[in-house]
Amino acid sequence: MDLLKRVLMEERKPRERIQDFAPFKFGYDDIKVKEEATRCLHCLNPRCVKACPVHNRIPDFILKVKEDDIKGAYQILMDQTILPEICATVCPHESQCEGACVRGIKGESVNIGAIERYIAKYMRLNALDKVQSQKKKDLRVACVGSGPAGLAFALSLAQKGVQVEIFEKESYLGGVLTWGIPSYRLEKEAVLNIFKKLEELKVITHLQHEVTDLNELKDFDAIFLATGAEIGNRLWLDNEDLPQVYEARKFLEKTNFEHRLDNAIKNIMVVGGGNVAMDCARNALRLKGVENVYLVYRRSREEMPAAKEELKEALEEGVKFYPLTNPAKILGNQKLEKVVCTKMKLGDKDESGRRRPVATDETIEFAVDALVLALGFKVKDHHFDLKTSDKNLILVNEDMESSSAKVLAGGDVVNGALTVVSAMRDGLKAAKTILKRYQYE
Ligand SMILES: Cc1cc2nc3c(=O)[nH]c(=O)nc-3n(C[C@H](O)[C@H](O)[C@H](O)COP(=O)(O)OP(=O)(O)OC[C@H]3O[C@@H](n4cnc5c(N)ncnc54)[C@H](O)[C@@H]3O)c2cc1C
């Protein structure tokens, strides 16, 4: 075994996997997970732990895997996390734990995410991850929003015996985990497993209940706002309101839930360079009848914010990538016909430290039947009179407390569109604050 290289996992070939929305990475089996675990150097000062947003004790749970003690490994994981299978699957490991792994200096970093996923999935499949509630406490809290921040908050407090009620404006739980992250990247059973746990813990869920005034929750002892960031940025071009122009959220919700679009489409353009754009482009490829998926991005390929792995997978699946290309005109009469793009070049550095894209005189036209705008998300304008930043994010202290005594907040509504693990961490912190406040911890 070459210790500098990762133990490979089985996965479906790109041509085969774009035929459906099923997961294509099968993860490690019982033997391979131990082989990969032996690659961990068990550093005395583990950089991976520092780089993990929740400081998972990575070398410790990997050691338990080596010792064949998966239950022990799971217990170590659960000291710091509450959504291990989800984070193991979707965390941007390359910029977190795996990016800091010492094994990665000379060779390939340890596949920490896949080892964590093996542990959590093993526990789920063998029904060993049961939750239990402590004695009921005289404390009733409301959680607004059921994405990873809300789920972590609710799950953690319900296990402590706190009565939790979730208010969710959609007809389903999960936030981005349900409408946004496609099932070929995140097994939906892992998410459904969390909902099942909430049910077992008797958390009350109010679906299709949008909270618009916090007064309606005044009888609760505390309120956690985890409403996310879900307003898509726009191009602000003429014809952007044509029915074939989709904002990323609308496109992902439709294609993730139904695996189809309304109209018979052959050519789709996706605009953007982040992970959301990759998900849109890869969903587009999986739709029946689609022949070409163009991904246009105004900066260069090196500057794309998408994870390297996502980009690689999108390219090998057949997304046609056009860097330094920016939509200038959307053409069509009642129906989208064409997008005219300006070719860009790189200028001086801008405030983000990246070289600014500058328009050239050159244009390029794409005949397309659908256009998807994946230009990032921002938070809604109103925040129930709480103090907010100039970017409209709710301001909180270290303990996730907002400017109103009863109200805590976390996740994207506080951080801006960020990551699942940061949302989960906030939910856990807010839960801890409430327990401390009422002297239960
Ligand atoms: C397509 C996509 C792919 C992504 N991929 C990854 C990835 O691979 N890895 C990663 O780490 N991160 C990823 N992210 C980012 C990550 O999903 C988010 O950072 C995370 O979901 C934020 O969690 P949250 O709980 O704060 O908000 P959300 O998940 O947005 O949940 C907010 C919830 O609040 C509800 N809500 C809003 N307002 C109200 C109201 N007034 N009343 C009641 N309910 C309300 C919403 O309906 C929603 O269910 C992705 C994001 C997108 C959009």
Side-chain angles (χ1 to χ4, degrees):
M1 182 184 161
D2 181 354
L3 285 172
L4 294 182
K5 291 229 162 92
R6 284 182 167 193
V7 175
L8 291 177
M9 284 180 290
E10 280 197 34
E11 60 180 54
R12 294 162 77 202
K13 298 267 176 290
R15 260 201 203 176
E16 186 201 324
R17 68 190 190 226
I18 60 167
Q19 304 305 319
D20 56 47
F21 282 69
F24 62 89
K25 285 184 182 161
F26 298 120
Y28 286 134
D29 59 23
D30 303 350
I31 296 169
K32 285 187 174 169
V33 75
K34 280 220 253 169
E35 283 175 11
E36 183 63 13
T38 58
R39 298 186 60 238
C40 177
L41 294 164
H42 296 282
C43 309
L44 278 179
N45 185 13
R47 304 194 317 178
C48 53
V49 177
K50 276 195 206 127
C52 168
V54 291
H55 308 304
N56 267 332
R57 286 160 46 209
I58 293 162
D60 294 349
F61 73 65
I62 291 185
L63 184 63
K64 290 285 175 195
V65 171
K66 278 188 203 169
E67 293 169 352
D68 234 349
D69 179 6
I70 306 304
K71 279 190 212 164
Y74 184 72
Q75 270 158 15
I76 292 173
L77 256 178
M78 294 306 277
D79 281 347
Q80 317 295 130
T81 177
I82 201 159
L83 308 174
E85 193 173 353
I86 295 170
C87 289
T89 314
V90 303
C91 263
H93 299 106
E94 69 186 28
S95 58
Q96 296 176 359
C97 53
E98 291 173 11
C101 174
V102 170
R103 192 48 103 188
I105 297 173
K106 281 200 181 147
E108 290 176 350
S109 61
V110 175
N111 198 339
I112 299 167
I115 298 175
E116 181 182 353
R117 185 171 163 223
Y118 171 88
I119 300 164
K121 193 168 170 181
Y122 175 93
M123 297 297 284
R124 169 170 64 82
L125 293 180
N126 291 288
L128 293 167
D129 63 342
K130 291 264 170 268
V131 280
Q132 273 186 337
S133 177
Q134 292 176 5
K135 199 168 145 257
K136 207 166 168 187
K137 295 185 170 58
D138 187 20
L139 185 56
R140 218 173 132 242
V141 301
C143 174
V144 185
S146 66
L151 291 176
F153 174 83
L155 197 52
S156 143
L157 283 183
Q159 287 182 81
K160 300 277 183 188
V162 176
Q163 302 157 62
V164 187
E165 293 189 30
I166 295 180
F167 295 82
E168 169 53 60
K169 73 175 164 59
E170 301 297 341
S171 57
Y172 53 84
L173 295 174
V176 176
L177 301 178
T178 301
W179 67 257
I181 304 185
S183 48
Y184 50 87
R185 280 213 298 123
L186 173 63
E187 271 185 75
K188 291 301 160 187
E189 286 73 16
V191 184
L192 294 175
N193 189 39
I194 303 298
F195 305 161
K196 202 172 105 213
K197 288 182 182 179
L198 291 177
E199 220 176 294
E200 284 164 10
L201 291 164
K202 307 220 171 350
V203 170
I204 298 172
T205 48
H206 305 271
L207 296 178
Q208 290 180 297
H209 188 134
E210 179 165 7
V211 174
T212 51
D213 182 349
L214 290 186
N215 260 329
E216 65 171 295
L217 306 177
K218 65 178 181 330
D219 293 337
F220 287 90
D221 296 305
I223 301 165
F224 180 53
L225 289 180
T227 48
E230 49 183 18
I231 306 295
N233 290 321
R234 301 186 49 177
L235 286 168
W236 302 106
L237 293 176
D238 287 346
N239 284 330
E240 217 168 309
D241 50 358
L242 282 173
Q244 297 80 21
V245 180
Y246 294 84
E247 190 273 306
R249 155 128 204 194
K250 202 167 119 202
F251 178 80
L252 285 168
E253 203 170 25
K254 173 98 183 155
T255 52
N256 279 332
F257 289 173
E258 298 177 24
H259 298 178
R260 56 180 283 278
L261 265 190
D262 292 332
N263 43 355
I265 42 168
K266 289 203 163 99
N267 302 303
I268 302 187
M269 175 185 283
V270 176
V271 191
N275 287 331
V276 178
M278 295 304 138
D279 285 341
C280 291
R282 297 174 74 187
N283 271 17
L285 270 181
R286 284 164 169 79
L287 300 176
K288 295 272 168 291
V290 169
E291 290 171 4
N292 294 298
V293 177
Y294 308 111
L295 184 82
V296 305
Y297 178 57
R298 65 195 180 118
R299 296 179 190 262
S300 71
R301 186 157 149 184
E302 290 64 44
E303 286 153 321
M304 289 184 80
K308 280 199 190 78
E309 196 180 351
E310 301 290 320
L311 178 59
K312 179 183 148 275
E313 288 170 359
L315 288 170
E316 66 189 20
E317 287 176 359
V319 173
K320 295 180 175 135
F321 182 42
Y322 289 81
L324 292 169
T325 306
N326 198 29
K329 279 184 199 159
I330 300 170
L331 302 178
N333 185 7
Q334 319 236 326
K335 186 176 173 303
L336 174 67
E337 284 165 16
K338 226 184 247 179
V339 179
V340 181
C341 294
T342 306
K343 293 300 290 176
M344 314 294 281
K345 63 179 182 186
L346 291 178
D348 297 336
K349 282 193 178 165
D350 63 15
E351 57 287 349
S352 73
R354 297 178 294 178
R355 289 180 66 191
R356 192 187 300 275
V358 182
T360 68
D361 297 334
E362 207 186 321
T363 57
I364 172 168
E365 291 186 1
F366 296 84
V368 289
D369 316 295
L371 173 64
V372 185
L373 308 179
L375 305 163
F377 291 96
K378 55 185 183 184
V379 295
K380 265 193 205 145
D381 281 349
H382 72 91
H383 279 311
F384 312 105
D385 293 333
L386 300 172
K387 275 198 187 147
T388 53
S389 71
D390 52 0
K391 290 199 174 129
N392 218 12
L393 304 171
I394 299 181
L395 291 174
V396 294
N397 63 14
E398 280 276 283
D399 299 321
M400 314 314 295
E401 294 165 313
S402 77
S403 53
S404 165
K406 241 190 194 186
V407 183
L408 297 93
D412 281 2
V413 75
V414 160
N415 306 314
L418 200 58
T419 53
V420 169
V421 66
S422 55
M424 178 195 75
R425 178 197 57 203
D426 290 357
L428 290 177
K429 265 199 204 170
K432 219 170 187 171
T433 300
I434 290 173
L435 289 174
K436 262 200 215 146
R437 205 184 262 184
Y438 289 90
Q439 294 174 352
Y440 285 119
E441 209 159 69

